[in-house]
Amino acid sequence: MAREFTRVGVVGLGTMGAGIVEVFARNGVDVTAVEISDAALERGRVTLTGSTDRAVAKGKLAEAERDALLARVDFRVGLDALHDVDLVIEAVPEHLDLKQRIFAELDRVCKPEAILATNTSSLSVTEISVATTRPNQVIGIHFFNPAPVMKLVEVVRTVVTSADVVADVEALCERLGKVDVTISDRAGFIANALLFGYLNHAVGMFEARYATREDIDAAMKLGCGLPMGPLALMDLIGLDTAYEILDTMYRRGGRDRRHAPAPLLKQMVTAGLLGRKSGRGFYTYERPGSPKVVPDEYTPLAADAALADGARAIAKVGVVGSGTMATGIIEVFAKAGYEVISVTRGAEKSAKVCEAVKTSLNKGVVRGKLSETDRDDALGRITWSATLEHLADVDLVVEAVIEELSVKKALFASLDEICKPGVVLATTTSSLPVIDVAMATQRPADVVGLHFFNPAPIMPLVEIVQTIRTSAETSATARAVCAKLGKTGVVCGDRSGFIVNALLFPYLNDAVKMLEASYSTADDIDYAMKLGCGYPMGPFELLDVVGLDVSLAIQRELYLELREPGFAPAPLLEHLVTAGYLGRKSGRGFRDHTRR
Ligand SMILES: NC(=O)c1ccc[n+]([C@@H]2O[C@H](COP(=O)([O-])OP(=O)(O)OC[C@H]3O[C@@H](n4cnc5c(N)ncnc54)[C@H](O)[C@@H]3O)[C@@H](O)[C@H]2O)c1
């Protein structure tokens, strides 16, 4: 028989604690909610009522339900109030000594049979448990932010947590409508171990002025379908909490440099810029605790104002290539009203690309997204050619040929001879240095990267890659073109992986390393990222879609360019590729796709 939890205690009503109180009270469990002072208690109460009022306003909770929920919560100052609870969840700041002190006190105050749980993200549950006389009743119950929304709970069992305590907590999670993954006590557990290297890397990019905060966040939202960008997520987590988590992971998790908190984080915490909770972090918020971002001195100018800085007029666009990307890009430009000259290596290839563009446009018509007239107009704007010389008078060339530097360099040298002066020459390379391509011409200032995502007609993001020779005018032109295409253009420097791949692939590689270390299963890791962090796909699902060979090649490039030891490709990834397990396209990758 599973243990009955009729009353639980929550210690600390900050970002997480207030949410955890709401989860319990919503599911009919009485809660004693404890803070350190009257003022902190009042803040916690305001957070809870604010959240439940919003749920009522959104029609997700009836007024009577809200009142019943709030009536289940007993707000108290001091741990003594917890003498009669069946379970306590501690959610105080991420400091080991503080948590140990609280657990020693809880051990004294709580009933002998009560379970003592910590919501720590990175500290050792084992080290916290030894501050009590009942380490076998101590467990980690790691909720995700915002607790009422995120479905995942990581249940962390130490080597001494008793099996029935684990089973009772798992049953409780189910009662709360959560999905739990039960794991052992390792820094960062599943989700944070995969998340925080990525978040810290994003902060590093921002700190190095590699891209703006808006562009870094837009890139990950639009390029990977994440619910929020990394810097907005840091603000939600709280920069002080994020700092402590990184610091602990660095020290506990093998001193991986990628977890050494970016220096900027420490400065921001010291300056009181803690994120949403203090009203300012990477972004500025309407007031402390508010999710609403307001403009500040870093907010970029409106698109039209930015375009005033010297963008060239573009009417005629050449697209070179006949693959998936070139086909999509031709369609995107033609639909946006540009005159397009498609250049392939022969009439046969041109016919194939033309057919593919027609099929795709027809699909748009069938789905009601495009009128027949618009389709015909778009097709009418495209000229099919097999001769580069036809690009003599275009205003912009977008190159999307095979990903081989020698081929791209030869092509750019030819374009340099053929095209009129003032043309913007763009490459869609996803992994080669744009500067290498630029230097194959006599006009490197006019060369820029335009990294479209696949499928180009659908994906809303384009990375605009500036080399150290790209002129401001070229860059402004690229931004204006992206805006006219209806895409979000994010500007970044010419470094391996640009923004999206540089942030995405090391995370995928880390997931493979976690699997390889037998810390968890592919299913649980996928669940953790989807249900804990709101990712549209788990890392193994995504690797199988992208292709393991493609992922390995990108990871190798990142490792070779940045020489970051943590970026070394996971041996398991290499072995799978060697074995021909490339993902969906070969029928088998991390999962077997032939039997589905
Ligand atoms: N922020 C996140 O996204 C997130 C997600 C999952 C887990 N966590 C973990 O949850 C825990 C809490 O983090 P947070 O972000 O909610 O922190 P927070 O700073 O927002 O809140 C901590 C609260 O604890 C209170 N507190 C401090 N000392 C106390 C004491 N002695 N007794 C009672 N209350 C006390 C503070 O007044 C504050 O309200 C940490 O262990 C953190 O790692 C955080």
Side-chain angles (χ1 to χ4, degrees), residues 11-17 34-36 40 43 90-94 98-99 102 119-121 142-143 145 237 240-241 245 277:
V11 183
L13 307 178
T15 308
M16 288 310 292
V34 170
E35 259 292 353
I36 194 168
R43 268 201 312 273
E90 161 281 311
V92 304
E94 191 78 342
L98 172 65
K99 294 200 191 253
I102 286 184
N119 184 51
T120 182
S121 311
H142 184 227
F143 285 87
N145 188 1
I237 292 169
D240 49 345
T241 301
I245 293 173
K277 62 183 163 190

Side-chain angles (χ1 to χ4, degrees), residues 163-237:
D164 59 317
V165 168
V166 175
D168 291 343
V169 167
E170 285 172 343
L172 175 66
C173 290
E174 203 179 315
R175 176 175 166 198
L176 298 176
K178 300 288 183 191
V179 175
D180 75 273
V181 293
T182 301
I183 41 180
S184 58
D185 188 12
R186 197 173 103 160
F189 316 128
I190 298 178
N192 285 350
L194 297 180
L195 185 69
F196 272 79
Y198 147 69
L199 294 177
N200 200 36
H201 189 180
V203 175
M205 273 186 180
F206 173 72
E207 187 172 22
R209 296 172 197 263
Y210 179 65
T212 64
R213 61 183 185 186
E214 283 82 4
D215 282 359
I216 293 171
D217 280 351
M220 295 314 285
K221 268 174 74 172
L222 302 178
C224 304
L226 305 187
M228 54 171 65
L231 301 176
L233 178 55
M234 283 297 246
D235 276 357
L236 175 68
I237 292 169

Side-chain angles (χ1 to χ4, degrees), residues 353-563:
V353 178
C354 176
E355 213 38 56
V357 171
K358 271 189 193 154
T359 309
S360 176
L361 287 171
N362 281 335
K363 265 192 207 151
V365 173
V366 171
R367 290 192 188 132
K369 292 191 173 159
L370 197 69
S371 72
E372 291 191 5
T373 323
D374 287 345
R375 172 198 60 195
D376 296 342
D377 288 350
L379 280 171
R381 284 187 207 107
I382 311 173
T383 312
W384 305 97
S385 162
T387 319
L388 278 181
E389 276 68 20
H390 285 145
L391 300 180
D393 69 339
V394 297
D395 308 306
L396 163 72
V397 180
V398 181
E399 164 278 310
V401 303
I402 190 170
E403 189 78 343
E404 254 174 49
L405 188 58
S406 57
V407 176
K408 293 201 194 265
K409 276 167 86 167
L411 174 64
F412 271 73
S414 306
L415 292 172
D416 193 22
E417 282 175 12
I418 294 165
C419 296
K420 67 183 183 191
V423 174
V424 169
L425 300 176
T427 169
T428 56
T429 181
S430 34
S431 62
L432 301 169
V434 177
I435 189 69
D436 277 337
V437 179
M439 295 312 287
T441 74
Q442 303 297 316
R443 41 175 125 177
D446 295 332
V447 178
V448 70
L450 279 183
H451 185 221
F452 286 83
F453 288 73
N454 189 15
I458 292 171
M459 295 296 285
L461 183 74
V462 178
E463 285 174 319
I464 299 172
V465 186
Q466 292 175 330
T467 76
I468 42 173
R469 302 278 303 254
T470 305
S471 71
E473 224 179 275
T474 301
S475 196
T477 310
R479 278 183 287 143
V481 167
C482 288
K484 187 164 170 204
L485 295 176
K487 306 279 185 199
T488 298
V490 296
V491 179
C492 62
D494 185 20
R495 248 171 37 179
S496 181
F498 310 137
I499 301 175
V500 174
N501 287 354
L503 291 176
L504 177 67
F505 282 88
Y507 142 75
L508 296 176
N509 193 48
D510 285 345
V512 180
K513 288 181 185 167
M514 183 178 274
L515 182 68
E516 198 168 15
S518 302
Y519 179 61
S520 188
T521 62
D523 285 351
D524 277 0
I525 297 173
D526 276 352
Y527 277 136
M529 296 317 290
K530 285 195 289 190
L531 303 178
C533 306
Y535 282 33
M537 279 190 205
F540 298 105
E541 283 174 294
L542 185 57
L543 280 160
D544 274 3
V545 169
V546 172
L548 273 55
D549 49 344
V550 173
S551 306
L552 177 61
I554 294 174
Q555 190 60 28
R556 273 199 187 126
E557 286 292 335
L558 287 170
Y559 179 54
L560 286 178
E561 178 163 314
L562 302 168
R563 297 287 166 177

